[in-house]
Amino acid sequence: KQEVTQIPAALSVPEGENLVLNCSFTDSAIYNLQWFRQDPGKGLTSLLLIQSSQREQTSGRLNASLDKSSGRSTLYIAASQPGDSATYLCAVTGGSSNTGKLIFGQGTTLQVKP
Amino acid sequence: EAGVAQSPRYKIIEKRQSVAFWCNPISGHATLYWYQQILGQGPKLLIQFQNNGVVDDSQLPKDRFSAERLKGVDSTLKIQPAKLEDSAVYLCASTLGGRTYNEQFFGPGTRLTVL
């Protein structure tokens, strides 16, 4: 059974810092990994999608890496801003008997202080 | 391109009452998902449709939850009767065609409070 874990559960940093969010999964037979952002009371916004054959994806100040063999992904945020404050969720598809559903971690809540 | 639409955005009911949620996926998206997100947790799949057929409903509490996707477009999720533990955000997502490789897009969610 695929399980996804995110560490830390919460993070508070001063504005301008570079930071790394961690995601690990137990079954390396994934199809893809997706990072989402969730603002309080809102739905999920897709940030980056990494296919299983890829090692990383970049969008603006965000860079996500994937190491399938070790079951790990990291989301790197450069030069953090107060507007980056949100909960970040990683999710995977794939693994035995998976039909394309996303299996989520519990999220990392980020606070960027001005 | 319009995103995934959901309604209502908020709903408050008392336990043992019934409630229904509606989702309209992105045009042309064949696969539709309903997820339940309890406060402080990541979303968990309730049911997955491919067009108007059910692909995965293994985590749907079928004694009280039901869902349908008529004509392979809009979908409704119903809870009857509701319990306190059903308080959560219900998220609808859709993806284009193939089940495994495509990015999922989420609606704003419906926040349900059961009193």
Side-chain angles (χ1 to χ4, degrees), chain A residues 92-107:
Chain A
V92 299
T93 63
S96 58
S97 71
N98 187 281
T99 56
K101 68 182 178 185
L102 285 166
I103 299 172
F104 285 84
Q106 71 274 36

Side-chain angles (χ1 to χ4, degrees), chain A residues 31-32 34 36 38 40-44 46-47 49 51-52 89 93 98-102 104-106, chain B residues 9-10 33 35 37 40-43 45 48 55-56 58 91 99-104 106-108 111:
Chain A
Y31 292 119
N32 59 45
Q34 206 166 344
F36 294 90
Q38 186 172 35
K42 300 291 179 66
L44 276 63
S46 179
L47 298 174
L49 172 74
Q51 302 288 2
S52 60
L89 294 153
T93 63
N98 187 281
T99 56
K101 68 182 178 185
L102 285 166
F104 285 84
Q106 71 274 36
Chain B
R9 291 295 313 280
Y10 306 93
Y33 306 84
Y35 292 88
Q37 186 178 24
Q41 299 180 16
L45 181 76
Q48 175 183 349
V55 174
D56 184 351
S58 58
L91 296 162
R99 301 179 305 192
T100 57
Y101 292 96
N102 295 296
E103 188 174 5
Q104 290 191 26
F106 282 76
R111 182 175 297 276

Side-chain angles (χ1 to χ4, degrees), chain B residues 6-82:
Chain B
Q6 289 187 250
S7 68
R9 291 295 313 280
Y10 306 93
K11 191 73 177 179
I12 300 174
I13 62 173
E14 296 194 350
K15 60 182 179 183
R16 291 188 289 275
Q17 286 188 324
S18 301
V19 65
F21 312 129
W22 173 82
C23 173
N24 181 245
I26 292 173
S27 177
H29 280 196
T31 306
L32 184 147
Y33 306 84
W34 283 101
Y35 292 88
Q36 179 193 57
Q37 186 178 24
I38 293 171
L39 186 65
Q41 299 180 16
K44 288 183 171 60
L45 181 76
L46 290 174
I47 189 166
Q48 175 183 349
F49 292 96
Q50 178 80 10
N51 296 308
N52 59 351
V54 175
V55 174
D56 184 351
D57 63 356
S58 58
Q59 299 300 308
L60 187 74
K62 299 181 185 65
D63 58 333
R64 298 184 300 105
F65 285 65
S66 64
E68 61 181 8
R69 189 181 184 199
L70 299 177
K71 300 181 181 179
V73 182
D74 293 5
S75 177
T76 56
L77 177 69
K78 298 179 181 178
I79 308 175
Q80 181 180 9

